Amino acid sequence: MIKKINLHLILISFVLVGNSAWGQTEYGDTSTQQIALNHIKDVYNTAIGEQSRLYNGPEYDVYNPVIKGNANFLDKDDFVSGSVIYDGIFYKDVPIIYDINRNLVVARLYNKFSKYILLSERLQSFDILNHHFIHVRVDSLNTNAGINDGFYDQVYKSGLEVLAKRSKSILSTSGTITLETYFSATSHSFYLKKDNNYYGIGSQNALLNILKDKKKELLQYIKANKIKFKKTPEDAIVAIATRYDELSK
């Protein structure tokens, strides 16, 4: 009963401070109100504990331990602190792993033992290991979307947007006696969003053809800065996209 009353008080405070902060956004400094609002959010997320809306996914089915390596982003073999936006609510300091083989975000239950899946359809974005992933949702009727539904690393966003798809697969090799199964190295696919359209980027020419209205200037920029697409495609795409946005201002 006490816990329920405390939660109600927290929620009332959240609304009062929130209304005060949002009502003054246009006219004054809201830093004090925003700090108070963020504090109330933190207290609320801590207080609800087991009642958190995060704890509603199925149990995570772990891989067979005979598979060498792991399926996780940046090869992390344990949970790391991250943040998520789930059902439109921001949660910070959530212990998560990102399984890039199954394309699933996994969290640790409040008992610090059980692993469960954050439902992808309710997960808008998450931050892990200094990377920001967004959930790209593709209309099932749009066969020319240029990208599949799933989580993408948002490596650049301004006028253009650059996304990276990180993935692993399970491979097997047969020896003279045994069969060895292991996770592959991470593969990366890159996409450019321009004018609400997504384009897969597999080469420098493909990128420049999309940005053809500034192609001459971009070629000069690439040459002057010795950008090597084949060697570091991700860095090259971000640099070229950034330069395109600068030229488009």
Side-chain angles (χ1 to χ4, degrees):
M1 186 67 175
I2 294 174
K3 185 174 183 180
K4 289 184 178 179
I5 293 173
N6 287 340
L7 288 177
H8 290 157
L9 290 175
I10 293 171
L11 285 171
I12 291 170
S13 300
F14 180 88
V15 172
L16 291 176
V17 176
N19 287 340
S20 174
W22 294 325
Q24 299 181 39
T25 297
E26 188 175 353
Y27 301 103
D29 181 10
T30 62
S31 58
T32 302
Q33 293 95 330
Q34 190 60 52
I35 291 171
L37 184 59
N38 290 339
H39 176 68
I40 291 172
K41 287 181 181 179
D42 292 343
V43 172
Y44 175 72
N45 287 338
T46 300
I48 58 177
E50 299 179 17
Q51 301 177 36
S52 172
R53 293 172 67 177
L54 279 175
Y55 305 132
N56 54 20
E59 184 178 358
Y60 177 65
D61 185 17
V62 299
Y63 291 94
N64 190 321
V66 302
I67 304 175
K68 293 185 177 181
N70 64 63
N72 305 334
F73 177 59
L74 294 182
D75 297 321
K76 293 295 181 181
D77 59 2
D78 200 359
F79 287 92
V80 296
S81 180
S83 62
V84 303
I85 296 181
Y86 195 74
D87 280 338
I89 299 174
F90 174 77
Y91 299 86
K92 73 173 186 178
D93 299 328
V94 180
I96 58 175
I97 56 176
Y98 177 29
D99 179 338
I100 60 176
N101 175 58
R102 295 174 178 161
N103 197 28
L104 295 173
V105 178
V106 182
R108 186 170 56 200
L109 206 56
Y110 50 84
N111 62 15
K112 297 185 178 181
F113 176 75
S114 303
K115 300 177 181 180
Y116 68 101
I117 298 168
L118 296 181
L119 299 173
S120 297
E121 64 270 19
R122 300 169 72 170
L123 180 59
Q124 287 80 50
S125 65
F126 62 95
D127 290 85
I128 183 172
L129 299 169
N130 297 316
H131 289 255
H132 179 63
F133 287 84
I134 62 171
H135 189 180
V136 175
R137 303 175 188 273
V138 179
D139 187 340
S140 60
L141 299 178
N142 187 356
T143 57
N144 297 313
I147 197 170
N148 293 323
D149 193 287
F151 297 114
Y152 292 82
D153 194 352
Q154 189 181 66
V155 295
Y156 173 79
K157 183 179 182 182
S158 186
L160 299 175
E161 184 177 5
V162 179
L163 303 175
K165 182 64 177 174
R166 319 292 189 184
S167 60
K168 288 186 179 184
S169 57
I170 298 176
L171 304 176
S172 297
T173 57
S174 55
T176 55
I177 301 176
T178 60
L179 181 71
E180 183 178 276
T181 306
Y182 59 96
F183 288 100
S184 69
T186 302
S187 63
H188 312 272
S189 300
F190 302 103
Y191 299 84
L192 181 79
K193 184 180 181 183
K194 181 178 185 289
D195 300 329
N196 291 319
N197 294 313
Y198 292 97
Y199 304 89
I201 305 299
S203 68
Q204 181 173 291
N205 285 337
L207 177 59
L208 292 176
N209 286 337
I210 299 166
L211 308 177
K212 57 186 177 182
D213 56 314
K214 300 286 189 298
K215 186 173 182 178
K216 180 179 179 181
E217 297 93 327
L218 292 175
L219 282 170
Q220 292 172 344
Y221 174 77
I222 291 168
K223 183 177 180 180
N225 290 274
K226 299 180 180 179
I227 294 173
K228 306 296 183 182
F229 187 98
K230 291 183 178 180
K231 185 176 181 179
T232 54
E234 183 171 334
D235 292 342
I237 295 171
V238 170
I240 294 169
T242 302
R243 181 55 180 160
Y244 178 89
D245 282 337
E246 292 172 350
L247 292 168
S248 300
K249 291 180 180 179

